[in-house]
Amino acid sequence: EPEVTQTPSHQVTQMGQEVILRCVPISNHLYFYWYRQILGQKVEFLVSFYNNEISEKSEIFDDQFSVERPDGSNFTLKIRSTKLEDSAMYFCASTAMGDTQYFGPGTRLTVL
Amino acid sequence: QQQVKQSPQSLIVQKGGISIINCAYENTAFDYFPWYQQFPGKGPALLIAIRPDVSEKKEGRFTISFNKSAKQFSLHIMDSQPGDSATYFCASSGATNKLIFGTGTLLAVQP
């Protein structure tokens, strides 16, 4: 069964550094999302992406964040200058027609 | 208007019992209500979902009950098993398809 994959599984970085989290959505899917989950808390929407542009973003998704689909398979989330409070699990999700979202296993980001 | 409230925060059920988790939403524009199951260290996995044109949907041991007038929906897990022990999240979405998640319920099924 096709699945969403994410790399790396765990990323440790120093505060102020840039990180890029990578996702490979399911191949025929058209809508892509990033969510984050701070330890022990609920999953929060960050951004949605369709037709090579951002469809919607939350107030969390400020100027430090950006997303890109550099080729036909990858979907990336970049944090330009990480803060301590960016430490969380980041999940990528994709869907074919905008209904059922399939989540990847997540990347645990630790900012020191 | 974007909140989804979920209860209880945690739940302990004996093997074979019924687990019931409740959610309430505020935005009447929401039209898709999924439940996700999450095991430690894993991403959320879709369990079952419902749209407001039906009041109940059943898939195996899992049933969603939906009350549109009360803006509430619930997950029932029949014959709960130790393998069902996980965190369960309800969610809601509307036209933009972004999922608004509840706060989660940690379910422990005791053997």
Side-chain angles (χ1 to χ4, degrees):
Chain A
E1 187 176 314
E3 57 184 21
V4 177
T5 59
Q6 290 185 244
T7 55
S9 57
H10 191 191
Q11 174 90 49
V12 181
T13 190
Q14 295 292 324
M15 191 169 55
Q17 294 297 303
E18 174 184 286
V19 294
I20 297 175
L21 310 184
R22 291 182 167 81
C23 168
V24 178
I26 295 173
S27 63
N28 63 339
H29 284 188
L30 302 174
Y31 300 81
F32 313 110
Y33 308 83
W34 283 101
Y35 293 82
R36 80 170 186 191
Q37 185 178 32
I38 294 170
L39 185 63
Q41 297 187 23
K42 67 178 179 180
V43 179
E44 299 175 288
F45 169 80
L46 290 178
V47 65
S48 58
F49 191 85
Y50 171 71
N51 202 26
N52 282 318
E53 60 183 30
I54 290 174
S55 307
E56 186 174 0
K57 58 184 180 180
S58 71
E59 58 272 14
I60 302 168
F61 194 90
D62 60 22
D63 292 345
Q64 294 301 312
F65 291 85
S66 62
V67 289
E68 195 176 40
R69 189 157 162 79
D71 53 44
S73 59
N74 290 284
F75 179 50
T76 62
L77 174 69
K78 182 195 289 187
I79 309 175
R80 261 179 273 280
S81 178
T82 50
K83 308 185 197 65
L84 294 175
E85 55 265 36
D86 293 330
S87 294
M89 283 289 286
Y90 288 80
F91 294 106
C92 172
S94 71
T95 179
M97 297 298 293
D99 48 9
T100 302
Q101 292 183 30
Y102 295 89
F103 283 73
T107 292
R108 179 176 300 282
L109 177 64
T110 302
V111 182
L112 303 176
Chain B
Q1 266 222 324
Q2 291 289 334
Q3 273 196 341
V4 176
K5 295 180 182 176
Q6 183 172 347
S7 64
Q9 192 172 12
S10 62
L11 182 61
I12 299 174
V13 172
Q14 296 297 315
K15 180 182 173 183
I18 302 173
S19 305
I20 302 174
I21 306 170
N22 301 297
C23 279
Y25 63 98
E26 299 173 345
N27 190 338
T28 54
F30 287 154
D31 62 359
Y32 178 68
F33 304 91
W35 284 91
Y36 280 84
Q37 180 189 57
Q38 185 180 32
F39 292 105
K42 303 291 185 185
L46 180 69
L47 197 59
I48 186 172
I50 197 168
R51 292 198 178 270
D53 51 341
V54 295
S55 60
E56 188 175 281
K57 183 174 181 180
K58 183 175 180 178
E59 288 183 2
R61 296 185 294 111
F62 303 95
T63 300
I64 299 180
S65 297
F66 184 81
N67 185 330
K68 188 173 180 178
S69 60
K71 292 187 285 185
Q72 293 175 347
F73 58 110
S74 60
L75 176 69
H76 292 62
I77 306 174
M78 314 298 288
D79 188 26
S80 299
Q81 299 297 312
D84 297 331
S85 297
T87 300
Y88 292 81
F89 291 95
C90 64
S92 303
S93 70
T96 67
N97 297 312
K98 76 175 183 187
L99 290 170
I100 307 296
F101 281 84
T103 48
T105 296
L106 180 61
L107 171 65
V109 181
Q110 293 186 335

